Amino acid sequence: MAYIHSPLLPVCKNGNTAVFTAALRRLVNNPEFSDVKFVVGKEQQEVFAHRCILACRCEVFHGMFSQQLQTGRHTELLETPIVLSEAQPEVFLAVIEFLYTNCVTLNNHIAFEVLTSAVEYGLDDLRKAAVTYGQLDMKEKCLIFIENHTLEIVKTRGFHELSDLALVSILQSDLLLIDELDLLCAVREWAHVNSVVLELPIPDVAKDAVTHLRLSLLSPEELTSLEKENHKDGLIPVEQIAAAWKFHALKKGSRGARPHLPWRRKGTRPRDHHRYLNLQRK
């Protein structure tokens, strides 16, 4: 049987992507045919854009423009600039460039700020690009950002996508703004997600990360609840939980008899037994 291609059927053939990208790049901050204007930063720099492109590429802009349409003042709003007084013009233009071309031009001065904006606008590919670009100091800057926004970070999809090595480097920090119990819950969620993705048992996925959880910071009541939860997934080795109970058993004993005592993290909520912890970190 012979198959004859009908000219009425659509044929998909890739064109020159470089030409396409270059054409869209010419629209970046181009007032011609633009229908939205931003006033950015303390410099009040004008940035011109096209709502259809921003809306189809970014859920944050889609929501912003959809809300404006619902007010029934669409024509008036087209003539009203959107003020972004806290943004940096160079950083915002990098975000706009990425939305138009799926590429971004970065340098050492704006890479971290672009990373922050990528998280703010929900642009996962831009976030990955900013991290990949990073020089030797990028890891340190990223860690500082995570330390200052820990509660928000652990709720993101990006946190669940961290490698075990990246998670370990975070858990080693004393400056995380999160309580140990909340951090434990976040690590448990990370382990469950990665267990499904990697098709590995939860204890195997989390074996390196959980060693950096500071269980001795938890109260006896919290440890009891942890043990019950741990029976379900085996996230934490029994020996590690036993070591935390050992601290509670020996906390009032002589200094020489005490087990290793962890420092409190910056975001650790105080518990009564914390007065027995190392005095180096309050």
Side-chain angles (χ1 to χ4, degrees):
M1 180 182 295
Y3 292 89
I4 301 175
H5 175 71
S6 169
L8 298 179
L9 294 176
V11 178
C12 180
K13 181 175 177 59
N14 291 332
N16 190 319
T17 56
V19 173
F20 177 74
T21 300
L24 284 177
R25 192 182 300 278
R26 287 194 292 270
L27 294 177
V28 175
N29 199 20
N30 188 338
E32 186 176 14
F33 305 124
S34 71
D35 57 4
V36 60
K37 180 172 70 174
F38 297 90
V39 177
V40 185
K42 298 177 181 179
E43 305 89 339
Q44 296 187 334
Q45 180 174 331
E46 294 183 343
V47 176
F48 298 92
H50 307 79
R51 290 172 187 257
C52 61
I53 295 179
L54 301 188
C56 74
R57 290 277 287 150
C58 176
E59 288 295 326
V60 172
F61 283 121
H62 184 277
M64 179 191 302
F65 299 147
S66 296
Q67 186 177 19
Q68 291 178 347
L69 284 174
Q70 292 172 5
T71 65
R73 299 167 49 227
H74 180 58
T75 303
E76 179 182 341
L77 288 168
L78 287 177
E79 301 172 355
T80 304
I82 298 174
V83 179
L84 303 175
S85 57
E86 299 301 319
Q88 298 180 36
E90 189 178 6
V91 173
F92 185 68
L93 281 169
V95 173
I96 296 296
E97 177 191 8
F98 177 80
L99 293 178
Y100 276 71
T101 67
N102 214 40
C103 302
V104 62
T105 304
L106 295 175
N107 59 54
N108 289 337
H109 301 294
I110 67 168
F112 178 66
E113 286 73 16
V114 170
L115 171 61
T116 304
S117 294
V119 174
E120 179 183 354
Y121 286 105
L123 302 173
D124 195 51
D125 285 343
L126 178 58
R127 175 185 63 81
K128 292 177 181 177
V131 171
T132 302
Y133 169 85
Q135 302 299 321
L136 293 177
D137 64 338
M138 178 56 103
K139 179 180 177 181
E140 181 180 351
K141 290 183 178 180
C142 288
L143 181 58
I144 292 173
F145 178 78
I146 292 170
E147 288 169 341
N148 291 332
H149 303 84
T150 315
L151 274 174
E152 295 86 350
I153 292 294
V154 299
K155 298 174 184 177
T156 64
R157 187 179 69 179
F159 178 80
H160 293 150
E161 293 177 349
L162 287 173
S163 68
D164 56 343
L165 291 177
L167 180 58
V168 165
S169 67
I170 293 171
L171 295 178
Q172 290 173 334
S173 172
D174 296 327
L175 302 179
L176 299 179
L177 278 176
I178 188 171
D179 184 67
E180 202 68 22
L181 187 60
D182 296 325
L183 187 59
L184 170 60
C185 292
V187 172
R188 171 167 272 119
E189 290 183 15
W190 172 88
H192 278 257
V193 170
N194 282 269
S195 173
V196 174
V197 172
L198 300 175
E199 299 182 348
L200 291 173
I202 289 173
D204 291 348
V205 170
K207 62 182 179 180
D208 294 326
V210 295
T211 61
H212 297 279
L213 292 171
R214 305 175 185 184
L215 301 186
S216 298
L217 295 176
L218 303 181
S219 68
E221 295 78 15
E222 291 166 335
L223 279 175
T224 300
S225 298
L226 168 62
E227 283 188 301
K228 293 179 180 178
E229 189 69 22
N230 206 60
H231 284 311
K232 301 176 185 178
D233 57 17
L235 174 71
I236 302 173
V238 174
E239 297 80 9
Q240 189 173 344
I241 300 177
W245 279 118
K246 182 179 180 181
F247 162 70
H248 284 283
L250 300 177
K251 63 188 179 187
K252 294 183 180 180
S254 64
R255 178 173 292 274
R258 296 181 193 174
H260 172 70
L261 306 181
W263 281 347
R264 285 177 282 181
R265 303 185 198 271
K266 191 173 182 180
T268 302
R269 294 192 297 268
R271 278 100 165 154
D272 180 67
H273 71 282
H274 287 180
R275 65 181 183 272
Y276 299 105
L277 297 177
N278 284 335
L279 299 178
Q280 294 97 318
R281 181 63 56 87
K282 288 290 186 180

